[in-house]
Amino acid sequence: MSRYFVKLKAPKGQTVPPLLARFAKWLAKQEYGAFGTFELISPKMPGGLRDAWCFLSLPDGSLLALVSTVKPAPVVLFDSESDALKLVAPSLEAFLLALGKGKTRLDDLDEGDEREALRAWLEKEEVQAPKPATFNVRTYQREATPAPVVSEGVKKLAPLPRGLVSLLGRHVSDAKLPADLKKLKLPTKLPKAQGKLKDTKRGITVTVGRGGVIREVHLGKNYDGPLAFKLPSGVNDFTASKLLGKPTGELKKKDGGPIWEKVLDANRGISFSRSRGHFDWWSEHRFFIKAK
């Protein structure tokens, strides 16, 4: 009979809340899956978000975290698919009470029908939900997300491609995104997920991937603006080879031609590529987040 896995460690300068510490000690003796499938562990907070630390991991990779600068500390979910936070409960006490009822609104936590022991423990501990604090999860995530460190490769880009690269990795719910798109003279209405924003006149296509995160900016045959790595507009393959080196591969499509791919920002996983089919008169370029 397997038990719940428990290994909690608060970030430097903080302590595990007493109630959570007592719950962890009790949970370590309980049969796994009796009231939800999860582990009490403390991985690094995704996205470098400040003032929050993880205490629970779900099977799909999603994480629950406590926002430490708010009292009582809200419990938020970091969704592994969308990189977005969602409010789960206004406090740790409210979360544990919801867990005892099987009403957290998270499938992995609400499965299992042996919650009598948990409810008895909560009653013994006299757990009651305190008055919630005023807390807006979207505002918190926007303000707590550190500005990305700009790599030397990105710094060397001209203003237009640098602005296009700054879109990568951002979620469509980002409140600052419409203003940044407007500065780039792009349409400001992005699809929620797995769609494209197109500026056909300038040959720019912004692709939103699964979960509503911008994954790629494609520069097609109508694009005649600045590129990366000192490539001039309209550059031919000979000059591209002098500036980028030998092609790194061949296009997989029929009549595929050479493709060059170079890392632009290693920390953010951003790369630049140039490609041209054997019978194409134009080249295509893109900035993209390389799949892991």
Side-chain angles (χ1 to χ4, degrees):
M1 182 174 64
S2 60
R3 309 288 184 181
Y4 280 96
F5 181 79
V6 174
K7 191 174 182 180
L8 286 179
K9 184 179 180 181
K12 186 177 180 180
Q14 299 189 45
T15 58
V16 177
L19 175 60
L20 182 57
R22 296 196 299 273
F23 175 66
K25 185 176 180 180
W26 176 82
L27 182 70
K29 301 177 182 179
Q30 307 306 309
E31 182 179 355
Y32 183 78
F35 39 86
T37 52
F38 61 92
E39 295 179 342
L40 283 192
I41 57 176
S42 304
K44 185 178 179 181
M45 188 68 191
L49 291 175
R50 297 182 291 267
D51 306 324
W53 63 282
C54 299
F55 71 92
L56 187 150
S57 174
L58 296 173
D60 66 355
S62 298
L63 301 168
L64 295 193
L66 289 167
V67 180
S68 57
T69 52
V70 182
K71 303 299 179 184
V75 176
V76 296
L77 169 77
F78 188 91
D79 189 332
S80 61
E81 293 188 355
S82 66
D83 292 342
L85 291 182
K86 299 177 183 177
L87 181 65
V88 175
S91 65
L92 175 62
E93 291 86 350
F95 168 70
L96 292 176
L97 290 169
L99 184 64
K101 297 176 182 178
K103 294 183 178 180
T104 65
R105 293 173 296 175
L106 298 173
D107 291 342
D108 289 320
L109 297 182
D110 292 343
E111 64 181 20
D113 55 2
E114 301 177 25
R115 299 177 189 267
E116 293 82 1
L118 174 55
R119 289 195 289 266
W121 182 85
L122 292 168
E123 185 176 349
K124 181 182 177 181
E125 289 285 328
E126 299 181 348
V127 176
Q128 296 183 355
K131 181 180 179 180
T134 301
F135 177 73
N136 184 291
V137 68
R138 288 189 178 182
T139 300
Y140 162 72
Q141 185 170 14
R142 183 172 65 249
E143 295 178 349
T145 302
V149 177
V150 179
S151 70
E152 289 302 314
V154 174
K155 286 181 180 178
K156 293 177 181 179
L157 294 174
L160 176 57
R162 188 164 63 243
L164 294 173
V165 167
S166 73
L167 302 176
L168 295 172
R170 295 171 66 176
H171 194 271
V172 291
S173 64
D174 186 336
K176 297 180 181 179
L177 193 53
D180 291 338
L181 289 168
K182 187 175 181 180
K183 288 179 183 177
L184 294 168
K185 298 181 180 180
L186 291 169
T188 58
K189 189 175 182 180
L190 277 162
K192 292 184 178 179
Q194 293 182 289
K196 299 179 186 294
L197 179 157
K198 294 184 178 182
D199 182 339
T200 54
K201 186 176 181 180
R202 293 193 294 163
I204 300 173
T205 301
V206 179
T207 300
V208 178
R210 183 181 179 186
V213 176
I214 297 175
R215 308 291 300 181
E216 177 183 312
V217 176
H218 178 268
L219 309 175
K221 62 180 180 179
N222 288 342
Y223 181 82
D224 62 357
L227 298 166
F229 300 106
K230 299 181 180 180
L231 289 175
S233 177
V235 61
N236 58 31
D237 288 354
F238 176 77
T239 303
S241 294
K242 291 183 66 175
L243 294 172
L244 301 177
K246 293 181 180 180
T248 54
E250 288 277 327
L251 291 174
K252 294 181 180 179
K253 66 181 182 179
K254 185 180 179 181
D255 300 326
I259 182 171
W260 291 260
E261 189 174 296
K262 294 196 69 171
V263 175
L264 187 66
D265 188 331
N267 289 332
R268 295 170 59 198
I270 295 175
S271 294
F272 169 80
S273 74
R274 165 190 168 82
S275 62
R276 184 184 61 79
H278 282 308
F279 300 104
D280 292 336
W281 290 99
W282 65 88
S283 297
E284 296 183 336
H285 302 87
R286 65 186 184 121
F287 299 103
F288 62 99
I289 297 178
K290 195 172 181 65
K292 296 181 180 179

